[in-house]
């Protein structure tokens, strides 16, 4: 599974999501878009009009992709199968 979180340095939900994934011992890549111009460009390319963070892209081994906007623990549990 490949997880990418698009976040900002000041977003409390972004920090909460990262902390929760750390507690679950789930690996992820975090792109802080207000600190990384290239990350902002990637975020704009994948966000499909959503401008809120966190935006999480979860790709499974089959290549299926789920996008989760915000931090909804139940949605993450469902998508991650935990």
């Amino acid at each position: 599974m490949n997880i990418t979180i698009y976040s900002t340095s000041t977003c409390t939900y972004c920090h909460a999501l990262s902390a929760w994934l750390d507690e679950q011992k789930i690996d992820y890549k975090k792109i802080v878009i207000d600190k990384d111009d290239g990350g902002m460009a990637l975020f704009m390319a994948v966000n499909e009009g959503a401008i809120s963070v966190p935006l999480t892209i979860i790709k499974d081994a089959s290549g299926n992709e789920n996008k989760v906007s915000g931090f909804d623990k139940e949605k993450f549990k469902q998508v991650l199968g935990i």
Side-chain angles (χ1 to χ4, degrees), residues 6 31-45:
Y6 294 92
I31 299 173
V32 183
I33 62 173
D34 60 337
K35 302 283 185 182
D36 180 345
D37 291 337
M40 177 60 86
L42 288 171
F43 173 71
M44 296 305 288

PDB file of all heavy atoms in Angstrom, residues 6 31-45:
ATOM      1  N   TYR A   6      -1.176  15.060   1.488  1.00  0.00           N
ATOM      2  CA  TYR A   6      -0.890  16.449   1.156  1.00  0.00           C
ATOM      3  C   TYR A   6      -1.398  17.286   2.328  1.00  0.00           C
ATOM      4  O   TYR A   6      -2.569  17.185   2.710  1.00  0.00           O
ATOM      5  CB  TYR A   6      -1.589  16.856  -0.148  1.00  0.00           C
ATOM      6  CG  TYR A   6      -1.035  16.113  -1.343  1.00  0.00           C
ATOM      7  CD1 TYR A   6      -1.601  14.921  -1.761  1.00  0.00           C
ATOM      8  CD2 TYR A   6       0.069  16.596  -2.022  1.00  0.00           C
ATOM      9  CE1 TYR A   6      -1.083  14.225  -2.843  1.00  0.00           C
ATOM     10  CE2 TYR A   6       0.595  15.915  -3.112  1.00  0.00           C
ATOM     11  CZ  TYR A   6       0.011  14.728  -3.507  1.00  0.00           C
ATOM     12  OH  TYR A   6       0.534  14.043  -4.575  1.00  0.00           O
ATOM     13  N   ILE A  31       3.607  15.325   2.105  1.00  0.00           N
ATOM     14  CA  ILE A  31       4.051  16.453   1.303  1.00  0.00           C
ATOM     15  C   ILE A  31       3.413  17.707   1.902  1.00  0.00           C
ATOM     16  O   ILE A  31       2.186  17.841   1.914  1.00  0.00           O
ATOM     17  CB  ILE A  31       3.660  16.281  -0.172  1.00  0.00           C
ATOM     18  CG1 ILE A  31       4.323  15.026  -0.743  1.00  0.00           C
ATOM     19  CG2 ILE A  31       4.038  17.523  -0.971  1.00  0.00           C
ATOM     20  CD1 ILE A  31       3.894  14.664  -2.138  1.00  0.00           C
ATOM     21  N   VAL A  32       4.249  18.583   2.417  1.00  0.00           N
ATOM     22  CA  VAL A  32       3.782  19.816   3.052  1.00  0.00           C
ATOM     23  C   VAL A  32       3.760  20.898   1.975  1.00  0.00           C
ATOM     24  O   VAL A  32       4.796  21.451   1.619  1.00  0.00           O
ATOM     25  CB  VAL A  32       4.679  20.195   4.253  1.00  0.00           C
ATOM     26  CG1 VAL A  32       4.145  21.439   4.948  1.00  0.00           C
ATOM     27  CG2 VAL A  32       4.786  19.028   5.227  1.00  0.00           C
ATOM     28  N   ILE A  33       2.569  21.167   1.454  1.00  0.00           N
ATOM     29  CA  ILE A  33       2.458  21.970   0.239  1.00  0.00           C
ATOM     30  C   ILE A  33       2.797  23.443   0.429  1.00  0.00           C
ATOM     31  O   ILE A  33       3.132  24.112  -0.541  1.00  0.00           O
ATOM     32  CB  ILE A  33       1.077  21.807  -0.418  1.00  0.00           C
ATOM     33  CG1 ILE A  33      -0.039  22.300   0.497  1.00  0.00           C
ATOM     34  CG2 ILE A  33       0.856  20.361  -0.827  1.00  0.00           C
ATOM     35  CD1 ILE A  33      -1.414  22.317  -0.145  1.00  0.00           C
ATOM     36  N   ASP A  34       2.740  23.951   1.656  1.00  0.00           N
ATOM     37  CA  ASP A  34       3.122  25.356   1.846  1.00  0.00           C
ATOM     38  C   ASP A  34       4.622  25.515   2.060  1.00  0.00           C
ATOM     39  O   ASP A  34       5.113  26.630   2.203  1.00  0.00           O
ATOM     40  CB  ASP A  34       2.325  26.014   2.979  1.00  0.00           C
ATOM     41  CG  ASP A  34       2.508  25.358   4.333  1.00  0.00           C
ATOM     42  OD1 ASP A  34       2.884  24.166   4.382  1.00  0.00           O
ATOM     43  OD2 ASP A  34       2.254  26.019   5.358  1.00  0.00           O
ATOM     44  N   LYS A  35       5.357  24.416   2.045  1.00  0.00           N
ATOM     45  CA  LYS A  35       6.812  24.444   2.178  1.00  0.00           C
ATOM     46  C   LYS A  35       7.513  23.886   0.941  1.00  0.00           C
ATOM     47  O   LYS A  35       8.726  23.902   0.853  1.00  0.00           O
ATOM     48  CB  LYS A  35       7.260  23.611   3.396  1.00  0.00           C
ATOM     49  CG  LYS A  35       6.669  24.042   4.707  1.00  0.00           C
ATOM     50  CD  LYS A  35       7.351  25.264   5.230  1.00  0.00           C
ATOM     51  CE  LYS A  35       6.809  25.597   6.614  1.00  0.00           C
ATOM     52  NZ  LYS A  35       7.383  26.776   7.158  1.00  0.00           N
ATOM     53  N   ASP A  36       6.737  23.357  -0.008  1.00  0.00           N
ATOM     54  CA  ASP A  36       7.304  22.627  -1.144  1.00  0.00           C
ATOM     55  C   ASP A  36       6.556  23.023  -2.422  1.00  0.00           C
ATOM     56  O   ASP A  36       5.421  22.590  -2.627  1.00  0.00           O
ATOM     57  CB  ASP A  36       7.165  21.124  -0.865  1.00  0.00           C
ATOM     58  CG  ASP A  36       7.699  20.225  -1.955  1.00  0.00           C
ATOM     59  OD1 ASP A  36       7.936  20.693  -3.082  1.00  0.00           O
ATOM     60  OD2 ASP A  36       7.873  19.024  -1.682  1.00  0.00           O
ATOM     61  N   ASP A  37       7.190  23.855  -3.259  1.00  0.00           N
ATOM     62  CA  ASP A  37       6.543  24.299  -4.494  1.00  0.00           C
ATOM     63  C   ASP A  37       6.177  23.124  -5.399  1.00  0.00           C
ATOM     64  O   ASP A  37       5.105  23.106  -5.996  1.00  0.00           O
ATOM     65  CB  ASP A  37       7.435  25.271  -5.260  1.00  0.00           C
ATOM     66  CG  ASP A  37       7.577  26.609  -4.545  1.00  0.00           C
ATOM     67  OD1 ASP A  37       6.692  26.955  -3.733  1.00  0.00           O
ATOM     68  OD2 ASP A  37       8.575  27.314  -4.804  1.00  0.00           O
ATOM     69  N   GLY A  38       7.058  22.146  -5.493  1.00  0.00           N
ATOM     70  CA  GLY A  38       6.767  20.954  -6.294  1.00  0.00           C
ATOM     71  C   GLY A  38       5.600  20.183  -5.720  1.00  0.00           C
ATOM     72  O   GLY A  38       4.777  19.633  -6.448  1.00  0.00           O
ATOM     73  N   GLY A  39       5.522  20.146  -4.387  1.00  0.00           N
ATOM     74  CA  GLY A  39       4.402  19.477  -3.718  1.00  0.00           C
ATOM     75  C   GLY A  39       3.087  20.179  -3.998  1.00  0.00           C
ATOM     76  O   GLY A  39       2.059  19.530  -4.192  1.00  0.00           O
ATOM     77  N   MET A  40       3.115  21.502  -4.040  1.00  0.00           N
ATOM     78  CA  MET A  40       1.907  22.263  -4.364  1.00  0.00           C
ATOM     79  C   MET A  40       1.440  21.930  -5.774  1.00  0.00           C
ATOM     80  O   MET A  40       0.246  21.737  -6.020  1.00  0.00           O
ATOM     81  CB  MET A  40       2.149  23.760  -4.223  1.00  0.00           C
ATOM     82  CG  MET A  40       0.949  24.609  -4.623  1.00  0.00           C
ATOM     83  SD  MET A  40      -0.536  24.313  -3.659  1.00  0.00           S
ATOM     84  CE  MET A  40      -0.246  25.422  -2.294  1.00  0.00           C
ATOM     85  N   ALA A  41       2.371  21.819  -6.699  1.00  0.00           N
ATOM     86  CA  ALA A  41       2.017  21.470  -8.076  1.00  0.00           C
ATOM     87  C   ALA A  41       1.395  20.078  -8.138  1.00  0.00           C
ATOM     88  O   ALA A  41       0.392  19.866  -8.838  1.00  0.00           O
ATOM     89  CB  ALA A  41       3.248  21.556  -8.980  1.00  0.00           C
ATOM     90  N   LEU A  42       1.955  19.124  -7.403  1.00  0.00           N
ATOM     91  CA  LEU A  42       1.387  17.771  -7.351  1.00  0.00           C
ATOM     92  C   LEU A  42      -0.015  17.801  -6.753  1.00  0.00           C
ATOM     93  O   LEU A  42      -0.936  17.150  -7.255  1.00  0.00           O
ATOM     94  CB  LEU A  42       2.273  16.844  -6.520  1.00  0.00           C
ATOM     95  CG  LEU A  42       3.595  16.423  -7.138  1.00  0.00           C
ATOM     96  CD1 LEU A  42       4.446  15.692  -6.102  1.00  0.00           C
ATOM     97  CD2 LEU A  42       3.350  15.528  -8.342  1.00  0.00           C
ATOM     98  N   PHE A  43      -0.174  18.537  -5.653  1.00  0.00           N
ATOM     99  CA  PHE A  43      -1.479  18.665  -5.006  1.00  0.00           C
ATOM    100  C   PHE A  43      -2.515  19.221  -5.980  1.00  0.00           C
ATOM    101  O   PHE A  43      -3.629  18.696  -6.079  1.00  0.00           O
ATOM    102  CB  PHE A  43      -1.352  19.574  -3.776  1.00  0.00           C
ATOM    103  CG  PHE A  43      -2.661  19.911  -3.125  1.00  0.00           C
ATOM    104  CD1 PHE A  43      -3.369  18.957  -2.414  1.00  0.00           C
ATOM    105  CD2 PHE A  43      -3.177  21.192  -3.198  1.00  0.00           C
ATOM    106  CE1 PHE A  43      -4.573  19.266  -1.796  1.00  0.00           C
ATOM    107  CE2 PHE A  43      -4.383  21.520  -2.590  1.00  0.00           C
ATOM    108  CZ  PHE A  43      -5.080  20.549  -1.890  1.00  0.00           C
ATOM    109  N   MET A  44      -2.158  20.251  -6.697  1.00  0.00           N
ATOM    110  CA  MET A  44      -3.088  20.857  -7.651  1.00  0.00           C
ATOM    111  C   MET A  44      -3.448  19.878  -8.771  1.00  0.00           C
ATOM    112  O   MET A  44      -4.563  19.902  -9.283  1.00  0.00           O
ATOM    113  CB  MET A  44      -2.504  22.140  -8.226  1.00  0.00           C
ATOM    114  CG  MET A  44      -2.297  23.243  -7.188  1.00  0.00           C
ATOM    115  SD  MET A  44      -3.781  23.667  -6.258  1.00  0.00           S
ATOM    116  CE  MET A  44      -4.710  24.519  -7.506  1.00  0.00           C
ATOM    117  N   ALA A  45      -2.524  19.003  -9.125  1.00  0.00           N
ATOM    118  CA  ALA A  45      -2.776  18.036 -10.196  1.00  0.00           C
ATOM    119  C   ALA A  45      -3.702  16.901  -9.752  1.00  0.00           C
ATOM    120  O   ALA A  45      -4.435  16.354 -10.573  1.00  0.00           O
ATOM    121  CB  ALA A  45      -1.456  17.457 -10.692  1.00  0.00           C
TER     122      ALA A  45
END
